[in-house]
Amino acid sequence: MRVRPVPLLVAVFGSAVAVTVFVVRQLPREGEVSPPERVPVAVAPAESSPPLERPAAAADGVVEVRVTAGGEPQAGAEVRLYLAPDADGAPWRRAGDAWTEAAGVARLPAGPGAYLVAARVVGLAPARAGVVRPSDRGTVRVALAAEPPAALEGRAMLRTGEPAARARVRAIPVSSLAPAFASASAPPEEIAVGEADVRGGLRLDGLSPGTWSVAIDMAGHHPVVLPRLRVPGPPIAAMLEPLGFVQGRVLHPDGRPAAAALVRAASADHGATARAGPDGRFGVAAPAGSYVVTACLGEGAAALERRVSVAAGATTDPLELRLGPAATLHGAIRGPGGAPVAGGQVALLAHDTRELVGRAVSGRDGRFEVRGLAPGAYDVRASSPGTSPAWLRGVTVAPGARFPLRVSLPAAGAIAGTVRDPAGRALAGVHVRAAVRGDGVA
């Protein structure tokens, strides 16, 4: 039987159109992304380091950076210079930017201080190093070798056995400056940030080989911190525990709700705070542990007589804190010769914890005062440039009391010695730095 050609052509053309429409519909439209099983993400954080208030000039000194890759100088590499945080709590600050010349060298003006230097070569991982420019040396030279990028891989799970989907992962490079600080620290531009996939898989690409501090966190769960990881290295495994919940009410002495009272829970390793609502009710999310719970509002304060045990994922029985008269800690700071110390820093921590409760700065007469304290025990730390810090542990205050405290700061000591090479020859120009005291004070 003969088939008419026109109907046959129509049928063939219709089939082709149908197949084309089906294929096109499977492609992602503009603004859409197909959901892959694994989403390795490593992006630069949105925030950036603030610039120095007064940029350095060449007359202040210079940090000279030589960038190589495979032993060859790298022209056109971007070099960044960051001034490290100081004892006053200032953040990392961007101290300068430059690009290497044909010989792979860049020169950046820099005053005395501790710096992080980072260099970026296209196709390679960033190279970083800590450097200190002493006040008595005009130029400090740094050599950076860029290497192929490495990856950090692993998996994050919840204690229930479910994947920690969309958990955030942050990788902070650990530099030679790290021992001077209590925890890993880096400018936000140098921190790698990523997100776990729906199966809890973690992957951060583009990392420089070396030591990294990795933190993994998820809403409602206690973060996991891995302080020193070698990259590349074996896959990591992190287990996130749910936070516990301390609940209760804060009341005035006459039983009225103490709205907006600050409630603090402090343990040996953790601290958390929350504000009471209009009805005086509060809820503090905290990791599992044993906590001292206090509340304060204006000239009123309260503390529970016993520590409160918090279990992972559990809520405590309702607690009640009834405000009474707050205590005051006051006194004077004296230097090694007994003279008043002006501008001395005083910090109060809940006893045997790291939770900062209050601060004060001594006046010209060396006197200071911290008000609004809940009854209980505190550890007091005092410091001033040119002296050794002082610790007073277990200072106990009663409700409404004015507790006098005299703090004496001993003189600073000195460390002397000689730096030699393996052959025993004395080396000049080596920078020596005391980074951390045995009591943890930088």
Side-chain angles (χ1 to χ4, degrees):
M1 182 177 67
R2 178 176 295 179
V3 179
R4 295 182 180 181
V6 173
L8 178 61
L9 291 174
V10 171
V12 172
F13 181 76
S15 299
V17 171
V19 171
T20 301
V21 170
F22 173 79
V23 171
V24 170
R25 285 183 175 178
Q26 305 310 304
L27 297 175
R29 295 178 175 84
E30 184 177 0
E32 295 182 345
V33 178
S34 301
E37 286 188 356
R38 193 173 180 82
V39 190
V41 182
V43 298
E47 64 266 33
S48 59
S49 303
L52 289 176
E53 294 181 2
R54 188 189 73 84
D60 298 322
V62 171
V63 172
E64 185 179 284
V65 185
R66 184 172 187 267
V67 182
T68 61
E72 297 296 325
Q74 298 297 303
E78 181 188 7
V79 180
R80 300 174 181 176
L81 187 66
Y82 305 93
L83 182 63
D86 54 28
D88 295 331
W92 287 91
R93 286 157 290 175
R94 195 80 163 256
D97 300 83
W99 282 263
T100 56
E101 302 171 349
V105 175
R107 293 170 60 86
L108 298 97
Y115 295 88
L116 178 71
V117 185
R120 284 169 167 75
V121 178
V122 176
L124 299 177
R128 305 178 183 90
V131 59
V132 176
R133 203 192 75 71
S135 57
D136 58 346
R137 299 190 64 196
T139 300
V140 173
R141 293 174 175 83
V142 185
L144 295 180
E147 302 181 62
L152 172 72
E153 295 185 280
R155 186 169 299 278
M157 304 294 291
L158 304 181
R159 196 180 64 168
T160 58
E162 300 174 352
R166 308 305 178 192
R168 187 180 71 153
V169 55
R170 300 171 74 246
I172 303 174
V174 177
S175 73
S176 58
L177 299 177
F181 307 102
S183 58
S185 175
E189 299 94 327
E190 304 301 321
I191 297 175
V193 179
E195 189 178 80
D197 61 27
V198 295
R199 297 182 179 179
L202 304 171
R203 183 180 176 89
L204 288 177
D205 293 300
L207 303 185
S208 53
T211 305
W212 291 77
S213 174
V214 177
I216 304 166
D217 62 85
M218 184 176 180
H221 292 75
H222 181 46
V224 171
V225 178
L226 306 171
R228 299 185 72 86
L229 285 179
R230 293 294 300 177
V231 175
I236 63 174
M239 183 73 71
L240 298 177
E241 283 200 351
L243 293 171
F245 208 64
V246 182
Q247 65 169 347
R249 295 184 71 192
V250 184
L251 304 175
H252 285 289
D254 59 4
R256 291 180 296 111
L262 177 65
V263 181
R264 189 187 309 274
S267 72
D269 300 311
H270 307 289
T273 60
R275 290 280 181 182
D279 58 357
R281 297 188 182 278
F282 67 87
V284 181
S290 179
Y291 289 84
V292 174
V293 180
T294 61
C296 61
L297 180 64
E299 295 300 317
L304 293 180
E305 293 183 358
R306 296 182 180 179
R307 286 178 172 261
V308 176
S309 295
V310 178
T315 301
T316 66
D317 293 333
L319 308 173
E320 181 178 296
L321 292 102
R322 194 170 291 259
L323 299 177
T328 298
L329 188 68
H330 68 99
I333 304 178
R334 303 290 178 180
V341 174
Q345 302 286 330
V346 179
L348 266 68
L349 295 84
H351 181 50
D352 283 341
T353 77
R354 300 177 184 177
E355 182 66 9
L356 183 65
V357 175
R359 286 184 179 274
V361 178
S362 62
R364 291 183 179 180
D365 57 357
R367 304 198 65 81
F368 66 90
E369 184 177 84
V370 183
R371 304 169 63 89
L373 298 177
Y378 297 91
D379 296 334
V380 182
R381 181 183 67 192
S383 62
S384 179
T387 65
S388 293
W391 278 95
L392 293 87
R393 302 181 184 275
V395 177
T396 303
V397 296
R402 284 184 57 85
F403 190 94
L405 192 66
R406 182 184 176 93
V407 182
S408 296
L409 298 181
I415 300 173
T418 303
V419 180
R420 302 182 183 276
D421 66 12
R425 294 183 293 266
L427 294 175
V430 177
H431 183 74
V432 181
R433 176 167 55 99
V436 177
R437 290 165 48 95
D439 58 9
V441 179

